[in-house]
């Protein structure tokens, strides 16, 4: 049963990639990995795709936000995982609490801004075509709720766009149920 579910997840990502033209063979893609189950599973899926279906060069990117001491262990585990998979690994330790004081931003916004800045930096360093992120379906619902709280119009009733252009890179988000 697990193998069937795994194959369906891989097929789901491959189908989405074809439908939304997410990559072409040989693309270099930065895969954002938080250490949570969604992003780790997504890294494994992208690795399998790159090895068995479409030749892609992956770069695993991890941000330690500086909120929790256990994040040190997560960064270490992500580095080990990338090494096991033979994937280039980049990480940064961002002092988000200090950044919050400096900017007046809340923790989610400050962490997101620091994370995206790092992902753009990694994409630039490796001349990547795309940045890939995994989110849980709850993240999509949270995005809609935030839009509603901010007084959005009808356009804000959607969650994160599947694919968008940001600076020089395509960002694509795969949501897991």
């Amino acid at each position: 049963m697990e193998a069937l579910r795994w194959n369906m997840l891989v097929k789901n990502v491959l189908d989405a990639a074809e439908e939304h033209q997410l990559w072409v063979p040989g693309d270099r893609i930065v895969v954002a990995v938080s250490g949570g189950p969604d992003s780790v599973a997504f890294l494994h899926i992208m690795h399998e795709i790159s090895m068995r279906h479409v030749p892609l060069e992956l770069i695993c990117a991890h941000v330690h936000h500086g909120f929790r001491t256990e994040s040190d262990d997560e960064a270490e585990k992500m580095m080990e995982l990338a090494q096991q998979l033979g994937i280039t690994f980049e990480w940064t330790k961002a002092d988000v609490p200090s950044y919050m004081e400096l900017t007046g931003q809340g923790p989610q916004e400050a962490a997101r801004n620091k994370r995206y800045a790092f992902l753009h930096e990694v994409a630039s360093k490796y001349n990547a075509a795309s940045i890939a992120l995994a989110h849980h379906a709850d993240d999509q619902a949270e995005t809609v709720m935030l839009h509603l709280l901010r007084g959005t119009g009808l356009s804000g009733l959607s969650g994160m766009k599947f694919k968008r252009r940001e600076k020089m890179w395509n960002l694509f988000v795969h949501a897991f149920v």
Side-chain angles (χ1 to χ4, degrees), residues 10-11 14 25 45 47-56:
V10 172
K11 183 180 180 331
L14 283 167
I45 290 168
H47 178 257
E48 179 163 326
I49 288 170
S50 73
M51 299 302 290
R52 296 187 181 179
H53 300 277
V54 181
L56 300 169

Side-chain angles (χ1 to χ4, degrees), residues 98-144:
S98 292
Y99 182 70
M100 289 168 54
E101 283 184 35
L102 182 69
T103 63
Q105 296 174 349
Q108 294 291 335
E109 183 181 14
R112 182 178 49 252
N113 289 339
K114 295 298 270 184
R115 183 170 51 254
Y116 277 74
F118 176 69
L119 294 172
H120 291 145
E121 180 183 310
V122 173
S124 179
K125 177 179 178 179
Y126 289 93
N127 196 26
S130 301
I131 300 169
L133 303 105
H135 288 286
H136 193 276
D138 289 346
D139 297 330
Q140 291 283 40
E142 182 180 295
T143 299
V144 172

Side-chain angles (χ1 to χ4, degrees), residues 2-163:
E2 283 297 312
L4 180 61
R5 182 164 163 30
W6 177 255
N7 290 337
M8 289 178 66
L9 286 171
V10 172
K11 183 180 180 331
N12 181 314
V13 174
L14 283 167
D15 290 347
E18 183 177 343
E19 179 183 342
H20 298 281
Q21 300 175 347
L22 298 180
W23 59 65
V24 296
D27 270 0
R28 192 170 292 132
I29 300 173
V30 175
V31 182
V33 180
S34 67
D38 296 334
S39 66
V40 169
F42 190 53
L43 180 65
H44 280 285
I45 290 168
M46 292 298 295
H47 178 257
E48 179 163 326
I49 288 170
S50 73
M51 299 302 290
R52 296 187 181 179
H53 300 277
V54 181
L56 300 169
E57 183 181 339
L58 306 179
I59 297 99
C60 176
H62 175 78
V63 177
H64 178 319
H65 293 99
F67 288 124
R68 303 173 295 121
T69 55
E70 58 268 23
S71 295
D72 293 334
D73 292 336
E74 286 175 354
E76 183 77 24
K77 288 176 183 170
M78 293 307 94
M79 182 175 68
E80 290 170 4
L81 174 60
Q83 286 175 342
Q84 290 170 1
L85 296 175
I87 297 172
T88 301
F89 181 73
E90 292 283 341
W91 79 286
T92 189
K93 187 170 186 176
D95 185 358
V96 176
S98 292
Y99 182 70
M100 289 168 54
E101 283 184 35
L102 182 69
T103 63
Q105 296 174 349
Q108 294 291 335
E109 183 181 14
R112 182 178 49 252
N113 289 339
K114 295 298 270 184
R115 183 170 51 254
Y116 277 74
F118 176 69
L119 294 172
H120 291 145
E121 180 183 310
V122 173
S124 179
K125 177 179 178 179
Y126 289 93
N127 196 26
S130 301
I131 300 169
L133 303 105
H135 288 286
H136 193 276
D138 289 346
D139 297 330
Q140 291 283 40
E142 182 180 295
T143 299
V144 172
M145 289 302 294
L146 285 172
H147 289 173
L148 285 171
L149 290 171
R150 291 180 181 150
T152 186
L154 290 176
S155 63
L157 293 178
S158 64
M160 293 172 260
K161 291 181 182 174
F162 192 87
K163 177 182 175 181

